[in-house]
Amino acid sequence: MALERFGDPMHAQYGSHVFSAAAETTDLRITPTYDAAGRTVPYSVYSITIREYISPSIGGIAVAPTSAQILTAAAVKSAIATLSKNGDVFRYQSRGLGDLTINTGATTDVVWGPKPRVIGVKLHGGLTVELTWTVEVAIPNCADAVFKFALMEFNFKLSFDKDRQGYTTRVYSGFLRIPQTKRSVGDRTLSDSADAYLEKIYPPMLPGFRRIPGSWVLSEDRCRGDFTITDEEMPPTAPPVGCIEVESNHVYHTTGSLAKWGVTLSAKYDIQRGASPVFAVQAFLALLSARMATDVAGMKVGDGLDLSGTDLAPKLKPFLDNKSKPISLIPVAASASEPNIYGRTQAQLSVTLAFAGVGFGAVFAKSSLWTSVPAAAGGVWKDWALNVGTLLGPRGYAQLVFRPNEDSIVDLCGRTSAATPGGGAGSTIGAPPAAPPSPGGGGIFGLFGGGLSGLLSGAIGSLFPPPTPATSWLHYKCDATVHADTGRVVVTTLPNSPIVPSPQTQTAVWDVFNTLPVVDGQSASAFPPLAGIIDQGPGGQGGSQSDVGTVTTQQRTRPKLYVTITGQALRAGFPIPMPEVVSINGAAPTLIGRPYFAQAIVANGLTPIVRADWSYTYLFTDDGGLPSGPVPVVPTGFLT
């Protein structure tokens, strides 16, 4: 049933097609469309169905049937062509809605409409065609409505995940929509894009969190953008300026005993794109300087060691004299690497140092493990976030954007060429953010030229001055071997004639590792009898070899006692003195033979490393006396 007409005739027009005065509205529905959250109505969809009759007429003059059919068909075809295109101007008046005028002036459809939905065609009597047309118009219903260049819908979700240590990860995801329709029915370009509104919904960084910008997906009609942004809670220590992420490791390890130590500090830096690796070197050296300064200030020679009640105390006087003095940290190894030349910029740095004279417990209690990171090496979230904020912002380093002129509407009409993003005018390539300024300034970082290697070697040299003589030892090992000459010799008499070997013994098996079975109540020996090596004839009596000589020993001289010392040593910056045995248990031995001692510089780093090797033999004589009691462990003056 048709809607009741108001006093004035209905006026309806879509594009160039003007509905006749006799046209009538057969259906009109208004459907509020809720947003994804169901909290508001961004727009309502007006669904209007109009029916009219098209028949031939030329100025009111009747025409021949054939011509009438041609005219009707042409009029219907023209109406269908116009009424099937979206985005044209629509006027609808005098039907209880006031003046509904769409896509002209300020009022425009907000979802690429008006959108024709159904066109019905029915022939009446061969010359008249009944045409039924349904169109949808999407517009907001408020008095202060905005129809373009604004957010039409914005909804998001928040999720919070906590790990076993209580660190939180927040995921912020959602979408935005904007209103848009064609500038005119034949226009193939876009006037707006949802990409232009990304910054409006991008939240500031959470203090203490690392931003992962995530994904941004632009819909096919360019009116919707879906986003996912993740914020991960960071540990209290933030990376240094110029670096995105850092992994660092600090290890103390013993080298031969619980009083000789090596300490290695290493770090791997993911450097901000476009930034200099000097940022990483500066941060590493600042961390190294702070931690090693804590070690020198906190650990003293002798900490954690109690040697006062031992027999070695008198022998270790050089060591004990340095108790409570600061340790010396001696650089023994360093490395700098670029882990992936063709990948993202990274720097991997490591320094190993040696020190001695501190016990195991003191290293745990007084070393720089678990101390705070200085500001120059990172640790301040605000400084780090201000520096990387652009990189972790909505556009990343490349600053890619989508502009409306990088797209066009393509269909089978109009022969429009496809447009692709990033080509020609309005390219998607934005200006990347400026790199952080090259680091400089005073202190140790401003003193060294020669590029990165000069900075690294020079700074380490300033951080670690040469050791003192007492703290310069890296390794010292001295072994004492005592051996004696009993003065007894073997005396063997010769037979009158050559000895004839026994054929049986020559074929016997000498199996010293085998236990032979018991035979006739007597256990057999693993060795053939020594007497059996000589053929003494039948029964072993007389025979051809009755004179085979004798084997005895004689004490020909007094017993003698020797001691041999062998060893190696490493020392930083100082020559290694030649060791000597002064006395053993009150006896003074005499150096004999060909003593061997050699030393050379085996490494030239910040401090020359000297190595020495030696081997001497001493004899205890009547003049020096013989030691009483067992020979003790040779003291070295350095804890091995």
Side-chain angles (χ1 to χ4, degrees), residues 545-567:
Q545 296 290 136
S546 59
D547 181 14
V548 295
T550 61
V551 178
T552 60
T553 63
Q554 291 181 0
Q555 187 72 40
R556 303 297 294 270
T557 65
R558 289 175 52 189
K560 295 180 289 294
L561 188 64
Y562 300 86
V563 60
T564 298
I565 61 169
T566 57

Side-chain angles (χ1 to χ4, degrees), residues 227-517:
F227 59 87
T228 300
I229 300 169
T230 302
D231 291 298
E232 296 178 344
E233 190 174 6
M234 300 170 62
T237 304
V241 171
C243 300
I244 299 297
E245 195 165 0
V246 180
E247 293 181 7
S248 185
N249 190 24
H250 191 180
V251 179
Y252 292 83
H253 50 92
T254 57
T255 57
S257 79
L258 293 183
K260 287 174 56 179
W261 294 89
V263 52
T264 299
L265 182 68
S266 59
K268 182 178 181 181
Y269 297 85
D270 289 340
I271 300 171
Q272 178 179 331
R273 187 172 178 181
S276 169
V278 174
F279 279 105
V281 177
Q282 282 196 352
F284 180 75
L285 294 177
L287 178 62
L288 180 67
S289 175
R291 293 226 158 184
M292 297 306 102
T294 300
D295 284 349
V296 172
M299 292 189 288
K300 309 299 181 183
V301 175
D303 282 352
L305 300 174
D306 184 8
L307 302 173
S308 58
T310 68
D311 294 337
L312 293 178
K315 308 295 184 181
L316 295 176
K317 186 176 184 301
F319 168 76
L320 297 174
D321 287 345
N322 286 284
K323 286 193 66 174
S324 301
K325 292 183 179 180
I327 62 171
S328 287
L329 295 169
I330 303 171
V332 295
S335 67
S337 68
E338 182 181 2
N340 189 348
I341 295 175
Y342 291 97
R344 301 181 182 187
T345 306
Q346 294 178 320
Q348 193 161 327
L349 306 169
S350 176
V351 170
T352 299
L353 306 107
F355 66 95
V358 178
F360 190 74
V363 170
F364 272 94
K366 299 181 178 181
S367 71
S368 55
L369 290 174
W370 301 290
T371 56
S372 60
V373 174
V380 182
W381 181 88
K382 184 178 180 181
D383 294 343
W384 172 79
L386 287 174
N387 186 250
V388 301
T390 302
L391 296 179
L392 302 181
R395 304 294 177 180
Y397 181 85
Q399 297 290 290
L400 294 180
V401 297
F402 174 83
R403 297 183 174 89
N405 62 358
E406 295 174 334
D407 192 10
S408 61
I409 301 172
V410 177
D411 57 26
L412 295 177
C413 302
R415 299 183 180 180
T416 306
S417 299
T420 57
S427 170
T428 58
I429 301 177
S438 296
I444 62 172
F445 306 127
L447 299 178
F448 309 103
L452 189 59
S453 60
L455 173 64
L456 184 59
S457 61
I460 292 178
S462 294
L463 294 176
F464 305 107
T468 64
T471 58
S472 62
W473 295 98
L474 298 175
H475 174 70
Y476 198 106
K477 181 180 180 182
C478 188
D479 298 325
T481 303
V482 178
H483 46 101
D485 182 349
T486 63
R488 183 175 290 275
V489 298
V490 177
V491 178
T492 304
T493 61
L494 301 177
N496 295 326
S497 61
I499 297 174
V500 179
S502 168
Q504 292 81 8
T505 303
Q506 288 181 330
T507 60
V509 178
W510 291 59
D511 189 358
V512 298
F513 300 103
N514 187 33
T515 301
L516 299 181

Side-chain angles (χ1 to χ4, degrees), residues 118-249:
V118 178
I119 300 176
V121 178
K122 184 178 181 181
L123 183 63
H124 289 275
L127 297 178
T128 300
V129 172
E130 177 186 335
L131 188 146
T132 304
W133 178 65
T134 300
V135 66
E136 289 182 354
V137 176
I139 55 174
N141 284 327
C142 52
D144 58 348
V146 177
F147 294 87
K148 60 181 66 175
F149 305 118
L151 285 175
M152 180 171 68
E153 186 176 353
F154 171 52
N155 287 286
F156 63 87
K157 296 185 295 184
L158 288 173
S159 67
F160 301 88
D161 295 323
K162 279 75 67 179
D163 66 14
R164 66 183 65 185
Q165 289 186 312
Y167 285 90
T168 299
T169 298
R170 186 188 77 173
V171 179
Y172 164 60
S173 60
F175 71 93
L176 64 87
R177 291 181 66 191
I178 62 169
Q180 186 165 201
T181 191
K182 295 180 179 180
R183 291 187 175 95
S184 64
V185 68
D187 197 312
R188 303 296 176 131
T189 62
L190 280 66
S191 59
D192 201 2
S193 167
D195 187 71
Y197 300 83
L198 175 58
E199 283 77 6
K200 295 182 181 297
I201 55 89
Y202 202 83
M205 293 179 67
L206 285 173
F209 282 71
R210 181 188 302 278
R211 169 65 50 85
I212 302 175
S215 63
W216 167 244
V217 181
L218 199 59
S219 65
E220 292 87 345
D221 67 355
R222 312 296 178 246
C223 292
R224 173 170 170 150
D226 290 74
F227 59 87
T228 300
I229 300 169
T230 302
D231 291 298
E232 296 178 344
E233 190 174 6
M234 300 170 62
T237 304
V241 171
C243 300
I244 299 297
E245 195 165 0
V246 180
E247 293 181 7
S248 185
N249 190 24

